[in-house]
């Protein structure tokens, strides 16, 4: 959360995250190149490097795609989400290096321009197993470039969150293209079943996690709330909400986070203005609702970020009757201050 | 995430799961033998 932009806002956590990433990649390359040279002594250094870069990028892409659903299924994985952009940019650079080395190795030795050769060397576009798989990798790399280039809060603010989010959902198209790239490329010439087994396991994990997380979210959206008088709907018992935590409820087709703090409750939209993070899965820190994804903060009474920040989310009227929390499903304009409801006295329903 | 985006995610992953597994399975079933005709020969030696 910041009022201005800088290339990377380094902090201790980011440095640890990136050190682990760099260390893991060095270990992976050492192991891959060492084992590759031992098991396949005829392979040249360029071939091994192309394979090492390609497999590292694919492994990293699988890890990146697992982080989102893992966080929705269990908040213990949230620290991985915090710096996912660094993983994404690293994965793009590995893919780019794989592409450049492959073009130099396989397309730069003839008379044709290497980039033209990439599209024309194999023209069996109507064949399935002999399809020019390099083209699929090229288009996937273009998508990943677009994403890596816009992986910054400047672009998020400039493009607006909905456009930016939809742009970054193109990673799913890139993933499908890369599955086809590997299936019609390396898998066709590989004699060992290891690559097919690893890719199959990776696909099962990624798709299984996404479908499991989506099913869980869907059941939450479809959960019914009890109707009540004067338009308010019953959400839950006051005591079932943990202190400085929230209960998420689906009202009028969108989610609302009902926070409990200091004997009071306030309700705000569950959607963070930064990247649509789930505010109700965060907690109140220093009096502010704190998004679990990137730490954006909002005051529970008015849904506005504390000065000098300017983000605002819609607020909802609350009421407590006989220990039960009620919320009006009609949202108020982002930043509208609403008095929190208070548990004492029960008859009053509002705090003084 | 907002609800329309959640719905899109769900549908996209159903499509990807079907499409990617179909391509992967077909590529495995229809692949030609990868064993070289002369295992002693490595093209990389003759570059």
């Amino acid at each position: 959360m910041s009022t201005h932009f800088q290339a990377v806002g380094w902090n201790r956590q980011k440095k640890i995250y990136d050190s682990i990433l760099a260390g893991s990649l060095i270990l992976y390359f050492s192991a891959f190149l060492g084992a590759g040279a031992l098991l396949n002594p005829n392979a040249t250094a360029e071939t091994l490097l192309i394979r090492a870069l390609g497999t590292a990028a694919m492994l990293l892409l699988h890890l990146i795609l697992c982080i989102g659903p893992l966080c929705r299924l269990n908040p213990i994985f949230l620290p991985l989400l915090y710096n996912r952009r660094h993983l994404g940019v690293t994965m793009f650079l590995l893919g780019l290096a794989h592409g450049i080395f492959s073009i130099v190795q396989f397309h730069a030795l003839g008379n044709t321009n290497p980039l033209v050769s990439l599209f024309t060397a194999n023209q069996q576009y109507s064949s399935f197993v002999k399809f020019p798989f390099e083209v699929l990798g090229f288009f996937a790399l273009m998508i990943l470039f677009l994403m890596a280039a816009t992986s910054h809060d400047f672009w998020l603010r400039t493009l607006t969150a909905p456009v930016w989010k939809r742009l970054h959902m193109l990673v799913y198209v890139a993933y499908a293209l890369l599955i086809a790239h590997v299936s019609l490329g390396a898998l066709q010439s590989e004699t060992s079943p290891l690559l097919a087994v690893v890719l199959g396991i990776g696909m099962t994990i990624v798709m299984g996690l996404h479908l499991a997380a989506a099913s869980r979210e869907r059941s939450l959206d479809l959960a019914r709330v009890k109707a009540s008088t004067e338009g308010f709907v019953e959400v839950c018992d006051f005591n079932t909400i943990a202190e400085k935590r929230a209960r998420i409820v689906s009202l009028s087709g969108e989610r609302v986070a009902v926070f409990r703090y200091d004997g009071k409750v306030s309700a705000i939209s569950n959607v963070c203005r930064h990247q649509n993070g789930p505010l109700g899965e965060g907690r109140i820190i220093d009096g502010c609702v704190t998004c679990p994804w990137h730490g954006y903060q909002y005051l529970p009474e008015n849904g506005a970020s504390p000065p000098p920040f300017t983000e605002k989310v819609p607020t909802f009227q609350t009421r407590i009757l006989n220990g039960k929390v009620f919320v009006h499903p009609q949202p108020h304009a982002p930043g509208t201050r609403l008095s929190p409801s208070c548990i004492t006295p029960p008859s009053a329903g509002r705090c003084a | 995430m907002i609800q329309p985006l959640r719905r899109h995610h769900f549908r996209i992953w159903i499509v990807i799961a079907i499409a990617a597994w179909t391509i992967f399975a077909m590529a495995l079933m229809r692949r030609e033998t990868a064993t070289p005709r002369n295992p002693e020969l490595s093209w990389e030696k003759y570059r």
Side-chain angles (χ1 to χ4, degrees):
Chain A
M1 195 166 177
S2 172
T3 52
H4 65 282
F5 299 110
Q6 59 187 84
V8 180
W10 290 108
N11 57 31
R12 187 171 171 271
Q13 195 194 3
K14 279 195 170 108
K15 285 176 185 169
I16 293 171
Y17 197 99
D18 286 356
S19 304
I20 292 171
L21 174 61
S24 304
L25 283 174
I26 290 168
L27 270 177
Y28 179 79
F29 282 120
S30 308
F32 191 99
L33 295 174
L38 279 174
L39 298 171
N40 189 5
N42 286 327
T44 60
E46 296 99 305
T47 303
L48 285 176
L49 197 58
I50 288 169
R51 289 179 186 174
L53 289 163
T55 52
M58 274 303 272
L59 281 172
L60 213 48
L61 178 60
H62 278 80
L63 175 66
I64 291 164
L65 288 174
C66 286
I67 291 174
L70 278 173
C71 291
R72 291 208 293 280
L73 292 168
N74 194 333
I76 200 168
F77 295 102
L78 278 170
L80 286 174
L81 186 81
Y82 187 58
N83 290 317
R84 188 169 53 171
R85 289 177 190 183
H86 292 211
L87 288 183
V89 173
T90 307
M91 183 264 296
F92 162 70
L93 292 174
L94 290 170
L96 181 68
H98 167 80
I100 289 172
F101 278 115
S102 300
I103 286 174
V104 169
Q105 171 99 328
F106 300 111
H107 295 277
L109 302 174
N111 296 327
T112 317
N113 179 309
L115 273 178
V116 175
S117 168
L118 183 76
F119 289 91
T120 56
N122 173 8
Q123 297 189 19
Q124 299 190 66
Y125 284 93
S126 55
S127 164
F128 178 70
V129 285
K130 291 190 171 132
F131 190 88
F133 64 94
E134 302 91 336
V135 175
L136 301 170
F138 176 83
F139 284 117
L141 199 57
M142 288 301 100
I143 291 174
L144 297 178
F145 166 72
L146 202 62
M147 292 176 58
T150 55
S151 281
H152 194 280
D153 274 355
F154 168 78
W155 285 107
L156 179 62
R157 182 71 63 88
T158 307
L159 296 172
T160 71
V163 174
W164 188 89
K165 195 76 191 172
R166 280 181 168 80
L167 177 73
H168 280 242
M169 278 169 72
L170 284 174
V171 70
Y172 304 142
V173 178
Y175 180 65
L177 285 170
L178 288 171
I179 293 293
H181 172 72
V182 176
S183 299
L184 302 177
L187 219 56
Q188 297 300 312
S189 57
E190 185 62 52
T191 50
S192 159
L194 184 67
L195 180 64
V197 171
V198 171
L199 185 61
I201 292 171
M203 285 165 65
T204 307
I205 292 173
V206 168
M207 291 167 194
L209 281 173
H210 273 275
L211 292 175
S215 303
R216 190 166 172 263
E217 302 271 339
R218 199 171 144 78
S219 61
L220 193 65
D221 281 336
L222 294 175
R224 300 261 174 234
V225 287
K226 294 177 191 169
S228 183
T229 54
E230 297 173 42
F232 281 81
V233 292
E234 185 183 328
V235 172
C236 62
D237 283 340
F238 178 83
N239 290 328
T240 59
I241 311 177
E243 178 65 12
K244 299 202 189 309
R245 296 275 182 176
R247 167 66 64 97
I248 300 170
V249 60
S250 192
L251 297 173
S252 306
E254 199 44 87
R255 291 184 187 175
V256 177
V258 186
F259 276 92
R260 170 184 170 173
Y261 56 104
D262 308 326
K264 300 178 279 186
V265 290
S266 287
I268 61 173
S269 165
N270 189 50
V271 183
C272 179
R273 294 289 295 167
H274 179 221
Q275 279 192 36
N276 296 333
L279 291 175
E281 291 175 26
R283 59 196 168 101
I284 293 182
I285 300 171
D286 298 332
C288 290
V289 171
T290 305
C291 181
W293 282 10
H294 300 95
Y296 272 55
Q297 292 190 305
Y298 305 88
L299 292 163
E301 299 89 353
N302 60 9
S305 297
F309 308 108
T310 54
E311 288 79 11
K312 290 172 186 167
V313 294
T315 52
F316 294 80
Q317 192 79 56
T318 57
R319 180 181 282 182
I320 300 174
L321 286 174
N322 301 323
K324 293 190 184 301
V325 178
F326 294 80
V327 178
H328 199 288
Q330 184 65 42
H332 287 252
T336 304
R337 183 181 169 80
L338 297 172
S339 299
S341 301
C342 191
I343 189 65
T344 51
S347 55
R350 294 267 171 79
C351 297
Chain B
M1 244 194 309
I2 53 173
Q3 202 177 43
L5 219 49
R6 282 196 295 274
R7 250 195 326 262
H8 288 323
H9 264 84
F10 193 36
R11 288 171 187 164
I12 286 168
W13 276 104
I14 288 173
V15 172
I16 288 179
I18 295 167
W21 271 105
T22 305
I23 292 169
F24 178 67
M26 277 178 70
L28 275 181
M29 283 190 296
R30 295 183 60 180
R31 79 180 197 152
E32 292 164 6
T33 176
T35 310
R37 287 180 186 162
N38 181 359
E40 301 300 314
L41 193 84
S42 171
W43 66 270
E44 287 175 312
K45 280 185 186 171
Y46 302 99
R47 281 188 68 215

